[in-house]
Amino acid sequence: MPLDAFVSGQRAPVTLLFLPTATASMEGFSCTRSFLILAVLDNVRSELVLWRADNKLPSGWVYERTFQGEGVVSLSARGVDEQHSDQIWVISTGYLTPTTLGYGAVESPCACETLKSLPAMFNAAGLQVEQRFATSADGTRVPYFMVERVGAPRDGSTPTLLYAYG
């Protein structure tokens, strides 16, 4: 809707693009020529929520899809040239993977071409990451991540490094 029409009191239908929940918050957003990209944390896992602009609809937006990276990774995406292109830069990082810069189409952020990556600081072969939840005294589910060797015994005999905040 043009700004002058809005100021004069006209209103168009509104589409809610994000609603925080007890477990989900918005980290930020970016645009491309045809898409709005919402960076969302849900249970401290990164998601990219894609909305496509469609001026044929009264609301102007169509939900396309939500992406999570493979495994447990943190994702962020930015439009390369939001005025003229639907190409994006994607930065991903994980417990077992070094930070990586990718380039590709907004419709498939997980299939971007890798342009650059930090060197691996350790050999991640044979390791796995799992998201789990603890329940606090008041019943709140608290997410946490466990990095371990594949097949490690969970009987209390495995040395553990605990890192927490909050």
Side-chain angles (χ1 to χ4, degrees):
M1 166 177 282
L3 179 60
D4 58 343
F6 182 83
V7 170
S8 71
Q10 295 179 26
R11 297 295 182 262
V14 175
T15 299
L16 181 64
L17 300 179
F18 179 77
L19 180 65
T21 68
T23 63
S25 61
M26 192 168 80
E27 286 187 291
F29 70 93
S30 183
C31 299
T32 69
R33 180 187 62 213
S34 308
F35 288 85
L36 175 66
I37 306 165
L38 303 180
V40 174
L41 277 181
D42 193 357
N43 281 312
V44 296
R45 289 190 74 155
S46 291
E47 297 178 345
L48 299 177
V49 180
L50 303 181
W51 289 88
R52 183 176 41 82
D54 187 339
N55 60 11
K56 295 176 188 152
L57 297 174
S59 67
W61 296 102
V62 175
Y63 169 76
E64 284 289 317
R65 58 193 301 191
T66 298
F67 285 95
Q68 284 188 334
E70 290 187 29
V72 178
V73 296
S74 174
L75 291 172
S76 65
R78 296 286 177 259
V80 171
D81 180 353
E82 64 185 51
Q83 298 294 318
H84 302 100
S85 166
D86 283 328
Q87 298 300 108
I88 57 172
W89 305 111
V90 175
I91 296 177
S92 64
T93 189
Y95 291 103
L96 303 178
T97 57
T99 301
T100 301
L101 172 65
Y103 172 81
V106 69
E107 297 91 343
S108 54
C110 294
C112 287
E113 172 190 356
T114 297
L115 299 177
K116 199 115 172 126
S117 181
L118 291 175
M121 302 305 280
F122 60 92
N123 182 359
L127 299 177
Q128 66 185 8
V129 179
E130 181 181 342
Q131 184 177 25
R132 303 190 75 182
F133 293 85
T135 304
S136 68
D138 69 359
T140 303
R141 286 175 30 109
V142 180
Y144 67 94
F145 297 95
M146 201 162 62
V147 181
E148 65 184 349
R149 293 210 178 280
V150 174
R154 294 185 180 172
D155 59 5
S157 65
T158 304
T160 302
L161 173 62
L162 177 64
Y163 174 80
Y165 66 94

